[in-house]
Amino acid sequence: MEFLDNLGRTFFDVEAMAEVLPHLLQTGLVNTLVLSISATIIGVVVGMVLAVLGISPVRWVRAPARIYTDIFRGLPEILTILLIGQGFYWLSQDLFGPSPYPLGIIALSLISSAYIGEIFRSGIQSVEKGQMEACRALGMSYGRAMALVVVPQGVRRVLPALVNQFISIVKASSLVYFLGLMVGERELFRVGQDAAVLTGNLSPLVLAGIFYLIITVPLTHLVNFIDQRFRTGRRKPTGPTSGLKEVTELEDKKAVGTAS
């Protein structure tokens, strides 16, 4: 019983959770979503450019996209965040003021764009070559065929992977706290950690983890739903039908013909 009491006081102190809950909702959750959504939007735009450049038949066009992708996929996320957040702080002061918040968004965007670019590239290259050949046979240019036919099909195929990448960005946003965000800019992890240090209790961190689960778990199930829908299509599969009904109809027709 003593072990369970210590466990409850350490991780599930209701009073400590209730005290930090308003700060997690008003500050931590908002900033986590702002960081994640902003980085995802920028990552999608830059990633699409990287994907198009990465499949270009021209080597000097393809090479920079491949180098960019290899660098930001190969570096640890925390190293990229620190290099951008601390290395460009002098430039950020002139543009954004003393807050490192925008640099955190830029660092997450650089990371996400490298992964999203590869996701888009794999989706575009999975489209059958006959689609492009048919478009060119109809007189469409390469760029028009890519924009109107090939790319939309490729994006549709990788929607589950894009949602998975957003989940990764949500979790990676907790690393931005290393840049020393201001009080009103702290995300879920930082708010929970500050409260845990002040109270000497880990319950605020557990509550922050619950908020992360509230965001990521439904998205994980959404990924599975989207993937299943794309695999089976919109029409529900129907079971095999019996041929006994048709046999009965044929026997009835024969009986009618004999009687007549």
Side-chain angles (χ1 to χ4, degrees), residues 44-58 61-63 65-66 69 116-122 124-125 142-143 146-147 150-151 155:
V44 167
V45 175
V46 178
M48 179 58 71
V49 175
L50 291 173
V52 174
L53 295 179
I55 62 176
S56 172
V58 183
V61 173
R62 185 174 65 250
R66 300 304 307 157
T69 301
I116 293 175
E118 282 297 282
I119 292 172
F120 280 147
R121 185 176 68 86
S122 63
I124 293 171
Q125 290 183 327
Y142 176 84
M146 286 290 292
V150 178
V151 171
V155 171

Side-chain angles (χ1 to χ4, degrees), residues 65-151:
R66 300 304 307 157
I67 293 173
Y68 176 98
T69 301
D70 290 340
I71 290 175
F72 287 104
R73 289 183 69 195
L75 290 175
E77 294 172 340
I78 182 58
L79 182 58
T80 301
I81 291 173
L82 287 176
L83 288 175
I84 299 299
Q86 296 181 358
F88 292 93
Y89 184 72
W90 57 274
L91 180 62
S92 175
Q93 281 187 312
D94 296 333
L95 296 176
F96 309 114
S99 172
Y101 196 85
L103 290 176
I105 294 177
I106 292 173
L108 289 174
S109 301
L110 293 174
I111 297 169
S112 64
S113 61
Y115 286 94
I116 293 175
E118 282 297 282
I119 292 172
F120 280 147
R121 185 176 68 86
S122 63
I124 293 171
Q125 290 183 327
S126 70
V127 178
E128 296 76 8
K129 293 182 179 180
Q131 298 284 333
M132 175 61 74
E133 294 172 355
C135 292
R136 299 307 297 269
L138 293 174
M140 297 177 66
S141 64
Y142 176 84
R144 188 175 180 83
M146 286 290 292
L148 297 181
V149 179
V150 178
V151 171

Side-chain angles (χ1 to χ4, degrees), residues 110-239:
L110 293 174
I111 297 169
S112 64
S113 61
Y115 286 94
I116 293 175
E118 282 297 282
I119 292 172
F120 280 147
R121 185 176 68 86
S122 63
I124 293 171
Q125 290 183 327
S126 70
V127 178
E128 296 76 8
K129 293 182 179 180
Q131 298 284 333
M132 175 61 74
E133 294 172 355
C135 292
R136 299 307 297 269
L138 293 174
M140 297 177 66
S141 64
Y142 176 84
R144 188 175 180 83
M146 286 290 292
L148 297 181
V149 179
V150 178
V151 171
Q153 292 186 61
V155 171
R156 180 180 180 273
R157 296 181 181 186
V158 298
L159 281 178
L162 289 176
V163 179
N164 268 329
Q165 183 56 38
F166 177 73
I167 294 173
S168 298
I169 296 171
V170 170
K171 292 184 289 186
S173 66
S174 62
L175 299 174
V176 177
Y177 93 93
F178 280 105
L179 300 182
L181 298 175
M182 296 180 179
V183 175
E185 300 171 343
R186 294 177 178 177
E187 30 65 50
L188 285 171
F189 174 76
R190 185 61 176 178
V191 173
Q193 187 195 41
D194 289 345
V197 171
L198 290 174
T199 60
N201 191 287
L202 294 178
S203 298
L205 273 178
V206 172
L207 184 59
I210 292 174
F211 273 97
Y212 280 111
L213 293 176
I214 291 174
I215 298 173
T216 58
V217 171
L219 289 175
T220 302
H221 290 288
L222 177 62
V223 169
N224 296 332
F225 173 78
I226 294 174
D227 186 58
Q228 184 67 22
R229 176 59 64 92
F230 283 169
R231 290 178 184 273
T232 60
R234 294 181 178 275
R235 297 176 60 183
K236 295 182 178 180
T238 57

